[in-house]
Amino acid sequence: MALTDVKVRNTKPSSKTQRHWDSGGLYLEISGGKLWRFKHRFDGKEKLLALGKWKAVSLADARDARDEAKKLLARNVDPSIKWKEEKSVWASQLGSSRPVMLAHKIT
């Protein structure tokens, strides 16, 4: 069953790392904080892509990022490498080492 905003908001951390799955490889990992992750396969290997922290990245934004990553995978492009390349470009343009990745749509 897909996650809802209410379930995400009301889920509390416990002593063990929790994973609450949405759909299409997207899940919320809770281990002290709430982090969005996208689990996928590329080139025969399982990979994990960090999409951001909950509150800074909403459920809808995480789903959009997952969909953008899936588009890249369909074109046989590794989303983690593509986003790292774009992140370094943004950092050089903004003069910052930590730009917000989801503020930019992947083309």
Side-chain angles (χ1 to χ4, degrees):
M1 187 160 95
L3 289 174
T4 64
D5 284 324
V6 173
K7 183 173 182 176
V8 170
R9 191 174 35 250
N10 292 336
T11 303
K12 304 293 181 209
S14 70
S15 59
K16 293 184 179 181
T17 299
Q18 304 172 53
R19 289 188 178 124
H20 297 275
W21 292 89
D22 186 48
S23 62
L26 178 67
Y27 67 91
L28 182 68
E29 182 176 276
I30 303 174
S31 58
K34 297 179 181 181
L35 307 169
W36 292 110
R37 305 279 190 223
F38 173 56
K39 188 175 181 178
H40 61 283
R41 295 189 76 77
F42 183 78
D43 201 22
K45 296 178 185 172
E46 185 175 290
K47 297 191 115 189
L48 192 61
L49 186 63
L51 302 177
K53 293 181 180 181
W54 174 75
K55 280 199 177 179
V57 178
S58 69
L59 175 58
D61 289 339
R63 286 176 175 161
D64 289 344
R66 175 207 53 208
D67 293 342
E68 292 294 325
K70 282 188 164 195
K71 288 177 187 175
L72 290 172
L73 289 167
R75 295 189 318 214
N76 202 32
V77 175
D78 186 348
S80 58
I81 292 173
K82 175 78 169 170
W83 287 2
K84 282 179 188 175
E85 290 170 354
E86 289 187 7
K87 184 177 176 180
S88 67
V89 169
W90 297 331
S92 65
Q93 291 174 350
L94 299 174
S96 168
S97 61
R98 302 194 73 207
V100 177
M101 210 183 315
L102 295 178
H104 177 73
K105 290 286 186 184
I106 297 171
T107 56

